[in-house]
Amino acid sequence: MKQSFQKAVELIRAGNVVAVPTETVYGLAADAFNITAVKKTFEIKGRPPDNPLIVHISHISQLEMLAEEIPETALKLANAFWPGPLTIVLKKKPIVPDIVTGGLNTVAVRIPDHPLTQKLIEKTGPLTAPSANRSGRPSPTRPEHIREDFGEEIHILDGGNSKIGLESTVLDLSGDHPTILRPGSVSVKMISEVLGFTISPESTDLPLKRKSPGTHYTHYKPAASISWMPSGVREFSPDIYYIFHSEISTPEAAHIHSYQKNFEGLARDLYDHYRTADHLSCSQILIESLPPSENHPLISPLKDRINRSIGS
Ligand code: TXA
Ligand code: MG
């Protein structure tokens, strides 16, 4: 591990990309101030250049290096949720290369909650890190997912399986009102409680430019097609992969999974199921329809990711 960590430090310093663990999903890290390194990230992922990257830092004080204005709301939320799965979008300083922000005048920042990656950032400085999948594929939550997408091409800093399994909440604090651009495990309710006023949930009718550019692209797709399950399914085809969340009893099988209201477990495993369905050559994944978002903080991000992988 010591050797692998040292290699990661050297690769980043030499302007290369390295896959790094975070509590949400694995990231494809590069030196945020090295334009050539950031460019490699876009090329390796096959990512459209107008989809900006999140800059990962290891200490709140590094915000000043990146952001022009740091509103009180940002400090409150950073103190409450960092290190953790909340990304904050602020007006950027000129030092942040345009390639990082896809030409926007804002920068997205977070401190990831993983000791290895925090230690790495302490050695290298701020790192850009999009999810470490090829563009359009499910985000990687385990080292083997990265090998699936990239083979031996990428050095992986192995930090075990991601604890949360869904990407961070993205919150825009660069405008007049805090706006959720991507729901994550830090919920609207949790943010509102810290701020002392209610922020509105993600609005689907925002002008497109206000939304995260990444949300326009197809995401999180395995080869199998994904649909919400019709109610009352009790017969199982070997060609279909089934994911239940409610407390019903189902047969035990590699293609049938039941979470008994454990939404943390479902979030953690979702992208692994997408990939496993492909390995089992299932042509379809059926997911039991989720209850209203108020029931659990993970329901809103789960619905968001699943709907986007359905393409609706
Ligand atoms: O949990 C996560 O956020 C993971 C881990 C590795 O930190 N990273 C991740 O990165 O999911 P990525 O690149 O797959 O998704 C970043 C999202 C995209 O939807 C992107 O458009 C949005 O954040 N984003 C980045 N910078 C932005 C900005 N300046 N303004 C608005 N949205 C931004
Ligand atoms: Mg991604």
Side-chain angles (χ1 to χ4, degrees), residues 25-26 45 47 51 129-140 167 182 219-220:
V25 301
Y26 271 77
K45 269 189 69 99
R47 183 178 176 107
N51 190 2
S131 50
N133 52 283
R134 280 197 198 275
S135 224
R137 297 266 298 147
S139 297
E167 307 80 356
R182 177 175 73 182
H219 266 79
Y220 320 115

Side-chain angles (χ1 to χ4, degrees), residues 158-230:
D158 188 339
N161 298 348
S162 304
K163 279 187 303 194
I164 295 176
L166 297 177
E167 307 80 356
S168 62
T169 305
V170 180
L171 179 71
D172 187 355
L173 292 176
S174 70
D176 294 337
H177 306 286
T179 309
I180 298 271
L181 301 178
R182 177 175 73 182
S185 56
V186 173
S187 67
V188 166
K189 189 163 170 247
M190 288 154 78
I191 293 168
S192 299
E193 272 167 16
V194 169
L195 292 181
F197 60 88
T198 307
I199 66 157
S200 41
E202 187 190 27
S203 158
T204 45
D205 54 21
L206 287 168
L208 286 183
K209 68 179 174 48
R210 294 273 304 139
K211 299 198 73 175
S212 255
T215 56
H216 309 319
Y217 295 105
T218 313
H219 266 79
Y220 320 115
K221 270 206 192 313
S225 70
I226 301 175
S227 320
W228 294 109
M229 198 184 294

